[in-house]
Amino acid sequence: QVQLVESGGGLVQPGGSLKLSCAASENIFNFNIMNWFRRTPGKERDFVASINVGGKIEYADSVKGRFTIFRDGIKKTIYLQMNSLKPEDTAVYYCNAMTLSSDYWGQGTQVTVSS
């Protein structure tokens, strides 16, 4: 069973930074694409950022210029570096990994942006 474990969430002030990690139980090149999503209670899940097996990166318009997605050298972990954080970024952040036929999710990590 594929396991994804997020970490790094917490409380930060507006304008601050936070780095999220997603550790996978297998090489991330086994997946076509990995994504970060986020969800606020009572709202739909929103796309944040993605990186595919070839390294192509996409971001939601709301985080462009502030967030960066990248992977480590051993290809077991992806990260989301979040800078210039806003209260609107407050959400549970989820790691997602997709193949052509399967879709896997982590348990989520809470990010709260407040003064």
Side-chain angles (χ1 to χ4, degrees):
Q1 180 68 40
V2 172
Q3 300 285 338
L4 303 173
V5 180
E6 303 97 332
S7 61
L11 173 65
V12 296
Q13 295 184 348
S17 298
L18 204 61
K19 182 181 178 180
L20 306 183
S21 300
C22 173
S25 60
E26 59 188 79
N27 196 301
I28 62 175
F29 284 97
N30 292 340
F31 310 113
N32 295 103
I33 192 168
M34 298 191 71
N35 308 279
W36 287 97
F37 287 83
R38 64 188 182 186
R39 175 176 287 167
T40 299
K43 298 182 179 180
E44 295 182 356
R45 181 181 62 206
D46 293 326
F47 170 78
V48 176
S50 68
I51 182 167
N52 76 2
V53 68
K56 182 179 179 181
I57 292 171
E58 295 186 358
Y59 297 100
D61 288 342
S62 59
V63 306
K64 285 181 180 177
R66 301 188 299 119
F67 290 12
T68 304
I69 187 171
F70 58 100
R71 58 196 178 203
D72 72 359
I74 62 172
K75 308 299 188 289
K76 285 282 191 176
T77 307
I78 63 166
Y79 303 91
L80 185 69
Q81 177 66 50
M82 306 184 295
N83 299 324
S84 301
L85 283 162
K86 305 174 181 179
E88 305 94 279
D89 297 317
T90 296
V92 177
Y93 284 71
Y94 295 92
C95 182
N96 165 249
M98 299 180 68
T99 67
L100 292 176
S101 59
S102 300
D103 193 0
Y104 306 99
W105 294 90
Q107 83 290 342
T109 185
Q110 176 72 50
V111 172
T112 302
V113 185
S114 176
S115 60

